Amino acid sequence: MKVDFALDYDVLTVERPQKVYLMARLFSGPSPENSQRRPLNISLVLDRSGSMAGDKIEYTRQAAQFLIQHLSAKDIFSLVIYNENVETLVTSEPVLHKDSIAQRLKQIKASGMTNLSGGWLQGCGLIEQSAQGEMLNRVILMTDGLANRGITRQEQLVNLARQKRDEQIITTTMGLGVDFNEDLLMAMAEAGGGAFYFIESPESTPLIFQEELRDLLSVVGQNLTVTLQTTEHVTGVSQLNAYNMHTDGRAYSFTLGDVYGDEIKTLVLELSIPGLHEAGECEIARLRFDYDVVNEQRSEHQSFELPVTIRVANADDLASEPNAEVQGSVLLLQAAKARREAVSAADRGNFDSASQILKQAAGRINDSQINIPELLDEARALSQQATEMERGHDFYDSYNRKSMSTQAIYTLTDRHEATQNLRAREIEQALHKPTVDRKPGVAPTALTWREQTLPLDTDLIRIGRAPQNEMVLDAKNISRFHCQIKRDGELLILEDLGSTNGTFVNEMLIREPHVLCVGDVARVGYEQLIFHNHT
């Protein structure tokens, strides 16, 4: 592995207080050969509550099967499933009988509530029982809902994840769909030393599992910590990333976690430097990189230290060009923080403020005139999200909150490629999703389900699996009498009838009767009902 650093400007003006961006980098070696990699000790913890029925559980089975097929006999695997109860479907064992594990996966049926803490802690316990030697220990927790049984307080779950990390049990979290608590899963992954993934649609599940497995199979280093020891020439340090930090006022340590093969791990810091009085070269800090190199047999601790020097010159002598690579990284991270701030503003209902935050971030990128493709793509995405945010609640639903929060955390934790991949999948899905321009206040005259169109010309249309309904949807995850459409004068009103999995309009769960308009899209189970004004 190699380490270095770069500054956005390496020459400062004498006597002038300035801010400097420092980018610390570690360049890893190639991924290990399969025969040489560290054995894995994995516990897969899967939500099987009622909301997982249908495509969700089917794609999850496929993803789990993919993971198992790529493990070897030297790896240990366990499988925990949970609803309000917790069941160990596969006890910790070497991956020798893959067909047997596949058969047990087929037994998973969705029903009940969500005891997230019980399932996760069971997985941690299985990891602890089977941990040995230099194995990489990982719990992969996947859910599509809220923790509503067992331990439900976020603070308590996050503290437990941090405790397990201290015990060398890493937690990765995956949220599927629109109903899980992204703030909880992000915080658990951060405290637990693993990654967070947003699985935006069931069919994306195997792709996300593939990404996590690829990383696990290519670990070349662990416990990467970057420490900046400052001198009196630095009066303030703040990070642009979102890593765990510890400081005593002079030394600032950042925990970056695992290092994967053929990876460049980066940390970007903003340094406040007072006016330096003398021209010439000046050491302002020292960087230290600490990590454990891992291989099949053992781990070896490595440490590298670099002086951070900067040149100080009179204004007339300055000839320093900005480092475009550092500036590009700064702009990407500032864009991610802008998304996080915009989400916070939108949570409070300040949509104009949220839109302005995103526009300003896009403007900083455009004004920089740095011609880096990923940066230009980021400016376009920010501008589009700013425009969408002006629509208020019509745009800012559960899905878009999750998407924006996820894009922010991916980029802030050095996974900007995952941000790009998420947006690419969203664009692909949008191209294949039927849409109708929404017209608030205009009652629809018809609805379309799959290839069928039904006129809305009666006073009552009940929807569900039972044959007594006016509209029978014989599909999974739909109650016998799921919801109904009632006419009230010129209005059409959609009501949920106490269904098991709820009725959604524009991906928002309706708890009260909802007045329908042209362009509304209702979700009943996994079926879409599109309301429009023509047949």
Side-chain angles (χ1 to χ4, degrees), residues 408-423:
I409 196 62
Y410 282 171
T411 300
L412 290 169
T413 53
D414 215 9
R415 298 166 59 203
H416 185 67
E417 183 179 353
T419 293
Q420 294 174 300
N421 291 340
L422 171 58
R423 287 205 293 259

Side-chain angles (χ1 to χ4, degrees), residues 448-519:
T448 295
W449 168 59
R450 297 185 181 178
E451 302 300 320
Q452 304 175 37
T453 296
L454 177 72
L456 301 174
D457 54 5
T458 59
D459 291 336
L460 178 67
I461 300 174
R462 294 170 298 174
I463 300 170
R465 286 188 296 107
Q468 295 87 349
N469 289 286
E470 284 71 29
M471 183 173 186
V472 178
L473 301 186
D474 188 12
K476 295 180 180 179
N477 221 29
I478 294 177
S479 298
R480 286 174 49 78
F481 295 93
H482 199 106
C483 60
Q484 65 182 20
I485 301 169
K486 291 173 57 179
R487 184 174 297 280
D488 183 2
E490 297 297 319
L491 303 178
L492 287 176
I493 299 171
L494 178 65
E495 296 178 338
D496 185 79
L497 297 176
S499 64
T500 301
N501 296 305
T503 301
F504 296 77
V505 176
N506 305 323
E507 290 304 328
M508 296 291 289
L509 178 67
I510 61 170
R511 304 182 187 278
E512 304 290 339
H514 174 84
V515 178
L516 291 166
C517 69
V518 169

Side-chain angles (χ1 to χ4, degrees), residues 239-359:
Q239 68 162 322
L240 273 69
N241 300 87
Y243 297 118
N244 286 318
M245 184 196 79
H246 173 75
T247 181
D248 61 6
R250 277 296 181 192
Y252 298 79
S253 294
F254 303 88
T255 304
L256 278 64
D258 291 340
V259 181
Y260 306 113
D262 300 308
E263 181 184 27
I264 303 175
K265 206 83 169 180
T266 62
L267 168 70
V268 180
L269 304 175
E270 181 185 89
L271 311 182
S272 298
I273 301 177
L276 301 179
H277 305 302
E278 297 182 7
E281 193 170 90
C282 177
E283 180 175 320
I284 59 173
R286 295 189 77 82
L287 270 174
R288 191 176 74 246
F289 298 79
D290 290 282
Y291 55 90
D292 298 319
V293 177
V294 301
N295 54 43
E296 184 182 14
Q297 307 297 331
R298 59 190 174 82
S299 64
E300 179 183 352
H301 186 76
Q302 297 280 350
S303 182
F304 292 94
E305 194 167 297
L306 298 172
V308 179
T309 60
I310 202 161
R311 193 158 60 89
V312 184
N314 294 315
D316 295 339
D317 300 330
L318 286 175
S320 178
E321 291 294 324
N323 184 311
E325 186 177 6
V326 176
Q327 289 191 328
S329 293
V330 168
L331 288 166
L332 278 179
L333 292 168
Q334 287 176 338
K337 288 199 169 187
R339 276 199 186 85
R340 183 174 273 186
E341 292 170 6
V343 166
S344 179
D347 284 347
R348 301 189 302 271
N350 296 336
F351 298 111
D352 289 342
S353 176
S355 177
Q356 193 62 30
I357 290 168
L358 297 168
K359 286 179 181 178

